[in-house]
Amino acid sequence: MIIEEVNLYKLNMRMKHPFTTSFGTEQNRGFILVQVKSDSGLTGWGECVTTESPLYIEEFTDSSWLMLEKFLIPAILKKNIDHPDQLQDGFRPYKRNHLAKSALEGAIWDLYAKSKNIPLSKALGGTKQTIEVGVSLGIEKDIDHLLNNIKDKTEEGYKRIKIKIKPGKDVEVIAEVRNHFPDIPLMVDANSAYTLEDVNTLKQMDQFNLMMIEQPLTAGDLIDHAKLQKEITTPICLDESIHSFENARQAIELGSGKIINLKIGRVGGLTQAIKIHDLCSRENIPMWCGGMLESGVGRAHNIAITSLANFTLPGDTASSSRYWDRDIIQPEVQVENGILHVPEAPGIGFEVDIDEVLRNTRTSKCFK
Ligand code: OSB
Ligand code: MG
């Protein structure tokens, strides 16, 4: 297929509720959608899961836009692409910028699956027809709000609850949650807020029967996580430390954690995601698919990758309605009793509602 046209849309979508992590609060999502068109008239969609400021990762929405415009789109425009894996050679010279690469690559994967008339999940090698999901809950001003959120989401049937923690909002909060919900599958996510000096605080979390503690230490770190894992019994799950196949291989070798949270954007796209999946599968490392407060487009990609066999733990791909009054895909993502059905329609398997996309678009640019 020849890539005839690429469109970038910068959207601004306001979430229903603010979401607070150890690194900040977000409610207005300013992100990019990538649309690619082939010579046979098909359209593929990808989402660049950046935020306006580089708080989670070094990329941010304007930097990714520039990266796409200056380097990545020129590397593929008017080119003949038989398979998305071919993009790797064109992208490799450009260092990192994984969220930008992933957005464009994801759109090409959607296009490719549509050209083969198969669901994206199948194109990626997925085998599951349904996937299990949990939900990620932000830090709240007071414990009652958090307990209410947990009650609601547990009643909705989510398969596990993840709560965000930070220094000063950790052991007591978890203890209180466990008092009220002694048996729910529970995990915590620190988003890199601790150091090895906090080992005593982190050790105290072992008493709460947590499924895992996600990214307690510095983003990118593997060594200190390996040291910490020797000190605590709760499995460490790596998020901000895994940007590539090599990071995953080294983390496993060092014992930096026992579980991997895979985010398609963070590892530079679906081709890398499959490689990491296969590695974890060989090494018996359980994994799950993380989230970046995506719109329906990114959410659809998350569902497709989660259909691969080694995504054995519930991920963060919650219902559209958890985030948005109105999502930009049809039908919206709807979790029932913690279960999502992997779509069977070609490509991402959801229709992108172009009117809704345009209604939320602040800037767009056409490359052809
Ligand atoms: O650390 O997993 C994270 C959201 C934004 C940035 C980082 C993270 C998160 C979440 C929310 O935990 C996941 C979601 O509901 O999409
Ligand atoms: Mg995380």
Side-chain angles (χ1 to χ4, degrees):
M1 52 191 190
I2 296 175
I3 308 304
E4 289 289 3
E5 185 180 320
V6 182
N7 289 291
L8 296 183
Y9 303 87
K10 186 180 169 193
L11 281 74
N12 241 334
M13 279 173 72
R14 189 171 170 81
M15 295 194 297
K16 283 175 163 175
H17 313 284
F19 187 79
T20 300
T21 64
S22 62
F23 60 77
T25 298
E26 210 179 349
Q27 184 158 21
N28 291 316
R29 292 281 297 112
F31 62 94
I32 303 166
L33 287 182
V34 181
Q35 181 192 40
V36 292
K37 294 184 179 178
S38 73
D39 52 336
S40 50
L42 293 169
T43 298
W45 289 92
E47 178 166 342
C48 186
V49 298
T50 42
T51 42
E52 303 268 18
S53 312
L55 299 179
Y56 167 78
I57 201 168
E58 65 274 21
E59 290 173 83
F60 56 103
T61 305
D62 290 343
S63 79
S64 296
W65 181 287
L66 202 57
M67 187 66 202
L68 284 156
E69 177 168 4
K70 263 184 97 96
F71 299 105
L72 303 178
I73 294 172
I76 63 147
L77 200 59
K78 305 296 172 195
K79 299 261 161 67
N80 187 12
I81 293 169
D82 297 321
H83 191 278
D85 285 354
Q86 281 169 248
L87 298 189
Q88 299 290 312
D89 287 343
F91 286 2
R92 194 171 297 115
Y94 307 121
K95 300 293 179 282
R96 300 276 281 218
N97 288 284
H98 285 177
L99 305 192
K101 288 174 180 172
S102 171
L104 186 53
E105 195 226 40
I108 304 268
W109 267 105
D110 180 27
L111 191 63
Y112 167 77
K114 283 170 177 157
S115 78
K116 299 286 175 198
N117 206 26
I118 55 172
L120 178 59
S121 59
K122 286 271 162 1
L124 300 173
T127 49
K128 290 188 268 173
Q129 273 147 17
T130 57
I131 62 171
E132 290 195 339
V133 293
V135 63
S136 172
L137 301 178
I139 294 170
E140 295 289 345
K141 271 194 210 72
D142 56 66
I143 189 78
D144 289 338
H145 279 94
L146 179 62
L147 294 174
N148 269 332
N149 288 345
I150 296 174
K151 180 171 174 287
D152 289 348
K153 298 303 163 198
T154 304
E155 282 170 5
E156 284 177 41
Y158 283 102
K159 296 288 182 192
R160 63 101 173 105
I161 301 288
K162 157 169 146 183
I163 60 170
K164 296 285 186 178
I165 56 166
K166 65 175 184 183
K169 286 235 175 197
D170 44 37
V171 178
E172 279 124 72
V173 174
I174 306 167
E176 197 65 21
V177 169
R178 264 302 179 223
N179 266 339
H180 287 78
F181 304 94
D183 301 319
I184 54 166
L186 181 69
M187 61 171 288
V188 296
D189 186 358
N191 286 108
S192 312
Y194 298 87
T195 70
L196 280 181
E197 289 182 12
D198 301 307
V199 66
N200 287 331
T201 305
L202 296 163
K203 267 185 182 167
Q204 287 183 59
M205 296 181 197
D206 280 341
Q207 64 186 299
F208 299 118
N209 187 28
L210 300 173
M211 298 170 77
M212 66 194 90
I213 173 170
E214 184 176 341
Q215 196 71 33
L217 308 179
T218 315
D221 167 79
L222 296 176
I223 306 273
D224 285 355
H225 278 97
K227 288 185 185 161
L228 177 64
Q229 185 66 91
K230 290 193 180 73
E231 301 289 325
I232 63 175
T233 54
T234 307
I236 292 175
C237 169
L238 297 172
D239 176 351
E240 291 96 320
S241 283
I242 306 295
H243 297 268
S244 63
F245 176 87
E246 294 309 326
N247 289 161
R249 183 181 63 70
Q250 290 168 3
I252 295 168
E253 200 172 310
L254 290 168
S256 313
K258 296 180 177 166
I259 299 170
I260 286 182
N261 163 348
L262 184 130
K263 289 182 185 168
I264 304 166
R266 167 164 43 69
V267 302
L270 288 164
T271 297
Q272 290 301 318
I274 296 168
K275 283 184 67 183
I276 294 172
H277 167 272
D278 294 350
L279 170 75
C280 290
S281 182
R282 286 195 298 277
E283 300 286 340
N284 288 314
I285 297 290
M287 59 200 303
W288 53 277
C289 181
M292 291 288 285
L293 312 170
E294 290 92 346
S295 81
V297 171
R299 208 159 288 284
H301 285 265
N302 289 346
I303 296 170
I305 194 71
T306 308
S307 75
L308 274 67
N310 197 52
F311 284 88
T312 50
L313 295 166
D316 275 346
T317 311
S319 292
S320 297
S321 63
R322 147 136 185 78
Y323 309 86
W324 315 110
D325 282 320
R326 185 167 173 185
D327 206 342
I328 54 169
I329 53 163
Q330 283 296 330
E332 297 199 345
V333 172
Q334 203 178 337
V335 179
E336 270 162 40
N337 247 317
I339 301 284
L340 275 175
H341 291 267
V342 179
E344 280 159 27
I348 58 173
F350 295 85
E351 285 302 320
V352 175
D353 182 342
I354 191 73
D355 292 338
E356 223 18 52
V357 169
L358 293 175
R359 204 176 63 78
N360 290 294
T361 294
R362 298 291 166 267
T363 323
S364 64
K365 190 160 182 177
C366 177
F367 302 82
K368 61 183 186 182

